[in-house]
Each structure stands twice: as structure tokens, then as C-alpha cells.
Amino acid sequence: MTQSKGTLEVKANNNSSRRLKTSGESHLTNDKQVTITFHITSNCNLRCTYCYQQHCDTKQIIKLEDAKKTIDCLINRKLGKSTPFDALVCDDFDNVMLTFLGGEVTLYMSIVNDICDYFFRQCLEHKFYDLVSRSCIIIDTNGTTYFNTDVQDFIHKYKDKLLFAITIDGPRECFDKCRRDKNGNSVFDKVEKAVQQHFIDFGYETTTKLTFAPDNIQYFFESCKYLASLGFTHLKHSIDVNYIPDEKFLTEYRQQLLKTIEWIKVTHTPLTLSALEVEYTKNLQICTCGLATKAGFAIDWNGDIYVCFRFCEDSQGAKKIPIGNINTGISNTAFLEQMQCRNFNNYKKECFDCECSSACSVCPADSYYMYGDINKPFQRCALTKLEAEMSKIYKAKLGK
């Protein structure tokens, strides 16, 4: 199967696997992008202490037919046809981000492969070459299955379309504090080898996520040094979303950040920290999960549709809030309207006057799981103000 405009070529080799080659415009663009999040499974082989997924022993798996119906809706929307999900997807998108979440997605690579195959084949059949050349695949993984044959085959096939992030919080002493298998065993060696091989396989810097909680915050500085030694030049770190930091945590976090900033300056290490690169300004904004721009939706293993995957049933053990089902259309119009009409009524005047309000979490899911109300402020003010303070120091010392 070949086509010239997106220079996409699918060839069969000796073992019948296919390699997808692309060229042309970058698939990393955000212009007119639609994100479809496939919540593949709730099953996971790790038991990370800070994970907001609560039902890891269940074995729900998304149905391929439901995933295909989702893609069919996208194609029909692109064709200008009416679909049950017109309120969620714009009709002039030019690239799609296929995001796969779990649980651990790579436990079910065959269905991920089938979904991606179906998407790109449908795009080719309808001559949507812009989607072929500009769309991408996002997979977050714990790295424990990286060397499995089905995972390696998928990486080889979709390498040029794939953003494959392996989570590794830091060196062994940090990693093992929060990330172990369901029997309590360390998987650090396996994940470290996966990250090292991933750099080799992709030939450029891969990406990772770091999550810090009370159990591992004391390793922040050592984690940054360790990940820089692996080859990372940008670290996307966050504080456990289930946790409102106390004074002890904030004091330790501050000291760790100061040590890290000084080390970067003295050693001239090419390393950036996501939370400190943010522009902190007085500009509080409402988040509607992409509804304002019709930027996509999430689907789970039941075929249920959500404005965001964070409202799925196993997120933090709370009651799920679907807005419909791929087989029946949108039914929960009340919640959809509530999301579209989110407001600042519960915010105080100091929130609007705050000099770092632009970086405040206005995520409705954060508010829902913490307070049961999508409009109530998710109050981690002390954390945001600390990171804003550290950002000024970071930029001043490093000349940013």
C-alpha cells in the first residue's frame, strides 16, 4: 500500500510485520488538532503508590469494534457528515493525536496495533493525506514490557509516528519508593534497561514523566542528576495530584529545587525543568477540557464516552461521569452543558489578583475528585506560589 502525497508506505517483510514510513509535515503540530484517548484497560502489572487508577486487578479491555466506530465518527466528521459527537469534534481538524492509556497499555499491544492500523488505512482510503502525515500516536508506559516481541514490532512499525514515554522517577532508591510490581518486587533494572535501549532505538531524546510524593520528594535532586546522566535534557515533573502538600513537604521541595538549580548552573548541565519553565502571570483561565474548540474526547472499555479520561470509572475510585456511549450517542447532556458553562463563581478575589494564577490548576477533574464539584477551586496555592518563586530564581541564575 503506497501513496505519494504523504509518502506513507506499508510493506510486508519476511515475518509479515509492516513498517510505516512517513515524511512531510511534522506530526507534532497543535494546529486544528483532535485528541482521541483510548482508555484501553484498567489492568496494570505495577502498584504505584501515587497512581490515581484504583482498580488495577480488573481485566477490562476495550473492544476493537468500539474503537473502530470511534474512528469512523472521526472520518465522517472530516467528510462533513453529521455524527452523534459533533459537539466534541470540530469538522476542520487536520491532525489527530491517538492517545492510549491504561492501566498498562502495552499489556495489550495487539489491539493498540489494530486500532492504529485501522485509523491510517481509513485515512488512506479517503485520501486524507494531511491526517496521515500529521497525526501521531501517544503511549505512556511503565517500561516493563519494552522488550516483548509485540511491543518491539509495534515500535519498529510506527516509530516515525510514535511518542513513547517510559516513566522512570529517578535512581533505584527513588524509583523503588513508589513504583513496584503487584507482589512488591522491584522492577527498576528492567525499566532502566528499557530507557537506555529506547534512546538507542529512536536515535533522539525520548521523554519521561516524574511524579513526586511525600515518600520520594527527598530524592528530587538526585533524580534530576540521574536522568541527566541517562541523556534526558528536559524533565516533566509533577506533584502527586491526590496530595495537598503540607509545610514539611514544601520545605523539602524548595531545598531540592534550589540544589538542582545551583547544580545546573555550576555544571552547565543542559537540563530544563518543566514546572520552572512556565510563565507565571496574573491570568486565571477556565478549563473546559477542549470543549470550547471541540478538540476530542475519551472512550473506555465499555464504549462509554467522556469529555476527558480523568472522568472514567477507575480514576481515583470515584463515580465515573460518562456523557454517552459510542453505540448510542450523547445522553448526559446536563453534564456536557455544565462543563461548557464552567464559571469562576466559587473563586475569591485573591485568586484573580494572584500574580501566578495562570499556572493554577483549573482542571475540572481535579476539583471533582477532591471536592465533588467541578467548579470549586483546586487549592494547591502554596505549591503554585513556591514553583513561581523557584521559577524566578531558576530563570535569573540561568539567564533565561
Side-chain angles (χ1 to χ4, degrees):
M1 182 186 304
T2 62
Q3 54 93 6
S4 58
K5 199 163 185 176
T7 41
L8 180 146
E9 183 176 6
V10 180
K11 292 182 177 179
N13 60 23
N14 291 335
N15 62 5
S16 298
S17 67
R18 294 178 296 277
R19 167 95 167 116
L20 180 67
K21 298 179 180 179
T22 63
S23 65
E25 295 178 275
S26 170
H27 58 265
L28 302 179
T29 179
N30 289 318
D31 295 339
K32 298 182 180 178
Q33 184 178 80
V34 166
T35 300
I36 302 300
T37 302
F38 296 95
H39 205 165
I40 295 293
T41 182
S42 61
N43 188 24
C44 188
N45 56 353
L46 297 191
R47 295 296 182 269
C48 303
T49 58
Y50 48 62
C51 185
Y52 54 75
Q53 309 286 354
Q54 299 294 313
H55 303 297
C56 297
D57 288 320
T58 56
K59 298 294 192 296
Q60 298 102 325
I61 306 170
I62 198 169
K63 299 179 182 67
L64 180 59
E65 287 308 308
D66 285 346
K68 286 183 175 181
K69 288 177 183 177
T70 303
I71 292 168
D72 290 342
C73 282
L74 274 182
I75 297 298
N76 285 331
R77 192 76 174 118
K78 184 73 172 174
L79 289 168
K81 298 179 181 179
S82 178
T83 78
F85 305 101
D86 289 358
L88 305 176
V89 178
C90 61
D91 60 3
D92 61 346
F93 62 93
D94 63 10
N95 72 101
V96 177
M97 183 180 288
L98 301 174
T99 302
F100 295 92
L101 297 178
E104 175 52 37
V105 171
T106 62
L107 296 176
Y108 305 98
M109 283 308 298
S110 61
I111 193 166
V112 174
N113 179 78
D114 290 345
I115 292 170
C116 292
D117 281 356
Y118 185 76
F119 171 76
F120 285 107
R121 287 193 179 116
Q122 289 299 107
C123 290
L124 281 175
E125 286 181 14
H126 291 86
K127 299 183 180 180
F128 293 148
Y129 303 129
D130 58 339
L131 296 187
V132 172
S133 65
R134 294 163 67 86
S135 297
C136 66
I137 303 163
I138 309 291
I139 295 177
D140 287 339
T141 173
N142 59 39
T144 57
T145 64
Y146 189 80
F147 295 101
N148 289 6
T149 300
D150 55 353
V151 176
Q152 284 294 302
D153 286 347
F154 183 84
I155 289 173
H156 175 71
K157 176 179 176 180
Y158 281 109
K159 179 178 174 181
D160 296 320
K161 308 295 292 179
L162 182 60
L163 298 175
F164 195 89
I166 301 175
T167 299
I168 179 168
D169 286 342
R172 184 186 304 277
E173 58 270 23
C174 175
F175 187 98
D176 286 347
K177 279 287 185 179
C178 300
R179 303 181 67 82
R180 291 178 176 268
D181 71 14
K182 58 185 178 182
N183 296 315
N185 300 315
S186 174
V187 294
F188 175 78
D189 290 335
K190 186 180 292 186
V191 176
E192 183 184 57
K193 289 177 182 177
V195 171
Q196 292 169 337
Q197 185 61 43
H198 192 52
F199 273 99
I200 296 171
D201 289 344
F202 278 72
Y204 55 85
E205 182 182 326
T206 182
T207 184
T208 190
K209 294 190 303 182
L210 301 83
T211 301
F212 290 95
D215 288 340
N216 68 347
I217 188 60
Q218 68 270 30
Y219 298 107
F220 183 93
F221 170 54
E222 292 300 327
S223 293
C224 291
K225 288 172 58 180
Y226 167 74
L227 290 167
S229 74
L230 288 179
F232 292 102
T233 60
H234 180 72
L235 301 182
K236 183 179 180 181
H237 75 275
S238 62
I239 305 303
D240 178 6
V241 73
N242 303 310
Y243 174 63
I244 303 295
D246 58 19
E247 191 60 36
K248 180 181 178 181
F249 180 94
L250 293 170
T251 299
E252 180 65 33
Y253 185 31
R254 188 178 194 279
Q255 293 304 313
Q256 293 290 323
L257 284 170
L258 288 172
K259 286 174 64 177
T260 304
I261 293 168
E262 188 63 24
W263 172 74
I264 292 173
K265 178 185 177 182
V266 171
T267 61
H268 304 287
T269 301
L271 185 69
T272 58
L273 305 176
S274 60
L276 304 189
E277 292 284 329
V278 173
E279 291 296 327
Y280 292 87
T281 61
K282 184 165 64 174
N283 184 24
L284 188 64
Q285 297 186 31
I286 279 286
C287 170
T288 60
C289 295
L291 288 175
T293 54
K294 299 185 179 181
F297 57 87
I299 178 172
D300 72 2
W301 49 83
N302 296 313
D304 287 335
I305 299 295
Y306 304 83
V307 294
C308 173
F309 76 93
R310 290 284 306 284
F311 289 106
C312 293
E313 67 176 325
D314 67 332
S315 289
Q316 296 172 243
K319 182 181 178 181
K320 67 177 183 178
I321 311 181
I323 57 171
N325 188 279
I326 194 63
N327 297 294
T328 57
I330 293 177
S331 56
N332 190 356
T333 55
F335 182 72
L336 186 59
E337 291 172 3
Q338 187 181 4
M339 281 291 298
Q340 290 171 323
C341 299
R342 288 193 72 213
N343 58 67
F344 286 120
N345 292 345
N346 291 320
Y347 286 77
K348 298 178 181 178
K349 183 178 184 297
E350 53 259 39
C351 293
F352 297 97
D353 294 337
C354 179
E355 295 296 332
C356 55
S357 61
S358 62
C360 281
S361 172
V362 287
C363 169
D366 284 346
S367 296
Y368 171 67
Y369 290 117
M370 187 63 69
Y371 310 113
D373 182 350
I374 64 170
N375 285 314
K376 190 168 183 178
F378 183 59
Q379 295 179 325
R380 296 211 292 184
C381 302
L383 174 63
T384 302
K385 290 177 180 178
L386 170 62
E387 290 181 334
E389 175 198 354
M390 292 296 101
S391 177
K392 289 181 180 179
I393 295 173
Y394 169 81
K395 291 171 183 174
K397 287 204 170 191
L398 301 181
K400 291 180 175 287

